[in-house]
Amino acid sequence: MRICRVDYYQVKLPFKKAVQTSYGKLTAKYADILVLVNEDGQIGIGELTALPHPDYVEEYLLGERQILQHYLLPWLLAKEWVTLDAFCLEMTKIRGHLMAKAAIEMALFDLAAKLAEKSVAAYLPNAQPSLAVGISLGIEPDLAKLMDQVDQAIAQGYQRIKLKIKPGYDYQALAQIRQAYPEVCLMADANSAYQSQAASLKALDELSLAMIEQPLAVDDFVAHAKLQAQLKTPICLDENVRSLADLQTIVALGSAQVINLKLPRVGGLLAAKKMLNFCQQHDLKVWMGGMYETGVGRAFHLHFAAQTCFDFPTDLASFDHYFVEDIVTKPMQLHAGKISVPTGLGIGVVLDKQKVNKYCYAKQSFKSKK
């Protein structure tokens, strides 16, 4: 596999409504789109989906962009690579920066599958043609407006509701949703907003939540283990989960009963497959989250999330929950509570050149010297 050129687009997709979490407000999705071109003109598409600031995890868009442009892309363009796995092994020379690695791995998988005349689904066992999805709702102080959003989501067929919470915004909002919808799969996502407020979190036990996601500090496995011992509600870890070693720590300490698996955060599909196998072997429930991806990253995630081993509906909502327009020709939409996995070769999407140009604010091309 020889890559001769990489076209690199920096895009900004405005959100229809600002996303409010415990660590800040997002008004647009910034993403970098990688288009790898081989010597025969065939392309592979990937997405760097890191967030703009290092407040979710320490990796953020500008930093991961530098790793890609100064290290990973020059390595990729320097020579012919026998296999995708060979280049992925080369990337291990860089410590961390899993989101940059995941972006380039995505594009390589797309290209490799196209060259083999396969879908990415061919690399994954027990993949379904469509999958149930849930929706993530941000912090909305006006509970009447929140319930309007919940009502709309339920009417559209979403099969799980996730609500962002923080100290002072938790029990009342969740209780109102639970009262209106006693049977819905309901969970809370704290994004590490709590310190040691075990009492306020324990009050959530009576709401029959599917899980409380990442209540305490990132990397604090011990505190989460102590909290889980006090709660009936399962704790789900998100930001804490970067590697197989993290899963081993979670199991050893009892830090959580569920994990949220995100391909960018763990370094891509190959790492995620190993982690998913570990979860199955150790009775650790797992579901798949998202990072407000464009249609490129969303397609790759849908292929992975379509495996039958996941325990809860994925967090990959219809594109029009977040955006007015997407940058692929056939944006993924909700139908009867499910989203279809893109068909066709590779990840199954085609860039809409007009939309890419509309939302692109910077473009570069990197070429092989040979």
Side-chain angles (χ1 to χ4, degrees):
M1 181 186 297
R2 176 174 287 282
I3 307 301
C4 297
R5 189 178 83 247
V6 178
D7 293 329
Y8 197 103
Y9 302 87
Q10 298 171 30
V11 300
K12 175 186 177 183
L13 279 178
F15 286 131
K16 291 169 70 173
K17 181 181 184 297
V19 177
Q20 181 70 54
T21 71
S22 62
Y23 54 80
K25 180 185 290 187
L26 296 172
T27 59
K29 174 61 187 177
Y30 291 85
D32 291 359
I33 305 300
L34 288 65
V35 181
L36 312 186
V37 185
N38 76 357
E39 54 195 343
D40 297 320
Q42 293 173 294
I43 68 169
I45 310 169
E47 176 178 334
L48 173 61
T49 196
L51 298 177
H53 307 291
D55 48 9
Y56 167 63
V57 293
E58 64 272 16
E59 296 178 5
Y60 68 110
L61 185 59
L62 180 58
E64 299 310 285
R65 182 183 295 159
Q66 291 178 329
I67 292 296
L68 274 166
Q69 295 185 0
H70 293 286
Y71 293 94
L72 300 183
L73 293 182
W75 290 356
L76 181 66
L77 292 164
K79 66 177 185 178
E80 183 172 356
W81 297 92
V82 178
T83 63
L84 180 156
D85 288 33
F87 185 72
C88 289
L89 180 62
E90 185 77 6
M91 289 196 291
T92 62
K93 294 180 179 178
I94 298 288
R95 294 183 183 274
H97 299 288
L98 299 173
M99 293 190 185
K101 294 173 183 177
I104 202 166
E105 189 210 69
M106 185 190 308
L108 287 170
F109 257 109
D110 184 43
L111 177 57
K114 288 172 180 173
L115 293 175
E117 298 186 342
K118 295 180 179 179
S119 165
V120 167
Y123 297 93
L124 300 166
N126 303 316
Q128 308 167 85
S130 63
L131 62 155
V133 295
I135 198 168
S136 177
L137 300 177
I139 293 170
E140 174 54 73
D142 186 330
L143 294 187
K145 290 182 179 179
L146 171 66
M147 289 310 301
D148 286 343
Q149 294 173 34
V150 174
D151 292 341
Q152 184 177 9
I154 296 295
Q156 290 172 334
Y158 283 104
Q159 299 185 38
R160 178 191 47 74
I161 302 293
K162 179 169 87 169
L163 181 67
K164 299 287 187 179
I165 63 170
K166 64 180 181 178
Y169 183 86
D170 41 37
Y171 182 87
Q172 186 179 0
L174 289 163
Q176 193 157 331
I177 298 172
R178 176 53 79 214
Q179 182 176 9
Y181 297 100
E183 304 301 324
V184 74
C185 179
L186 177 62
M187 61 175 289
D189 183 5
N191 291 116
S192 301
Y194 294 78
Q195 301 299 319
S196 58
Q197 297 100 322
S200 60
L201 291 169
K202 190 168 178 55
L204 304 182
D205 273 344
E206 67 181 68
L207 299 177
S208 300
L209 302 180
M211 65 194 84
I212 301 171
E213 185 176 350
Q214 197 69 41
L216 306 179
V218 176
D219 294 334
D220 198 337
F221 295 98
V222 173
H224 277 104
K226 291 178 180 177
L227 179 62
Q228 181 65 94
Q230 300 176 62
L231 299 180
K232 292 188 298 183
T233 306
I235 287 177
C236 169
L237 289 182
D238 176 6
E239 291 93 324
N240 275 47
V241 182
R242 320 287 181 86
S243 66
L244 193 59
D246 290 333
L247 294 183
Q248 292 168 340
T249 301
I250 290 168
V251 169
L253 296 178
S255 304
Q257 299 177 33
V258 189
I259 68 148
N260 180 345
L261 190 59
K262 294 177 180 172
L263 297 183
R265 202 192 57 245
V266 304
L269 185 146
L270 294 175
K273 285 179 70 174
K274 294 176 182 177
M275 296 173 73
L276 188 55
N277 289 337
F278 180 91
C279 289
Q280 292 177 281
Q281 293 165 8
H282 293 83
D283 296 321
L284 191 59
K285 291 184 178 181
V286 57
W287 66 291
M288 194 157 184
M291 295 180 64
Y292 318 113
E293 292 86 357
T294 76
V296 176
R298 195 173 301 268
F300 195 60
H301 282 68
L302 283 169
H303 280 286
F304 196 83
Q307 297 175 84
T308 57
C309 53
F310 287 96
D311 296 286
F312 301 93
T314 181
D315 216 10
L316 301 167
S318 179
F319 90 96
D320 53 8
H321 172 58
Y322 294 112
F323 311 116
V324 173
E325 297 180 309
D326 206 339
I327 59 171
V328 296
T329 56
K330 295 181 179 179
M332 284 127 268
Q333 290 183 283
L334 188 74
H335 297 285
K338 293 187 175 183
I339 293 182
S340 295
V341 178
T343 57
L345 302 182
I347 61 175
V349 297
V350 176
L351 288 175
D352 184 323
K353 294 182 180 179
Q354 182 180 0
K355 296 294 193 301
V356 171
N357 289 332
K358 178 179 179 179
Y359 295 107
C360 178
Y361 60 92
K363 176 186 175 182
Q364 290 177 271
S365 287
F366 302 85
K367 297 181 179 180
S368 170
K369 295 181 180 179
K370 295 186 179 180

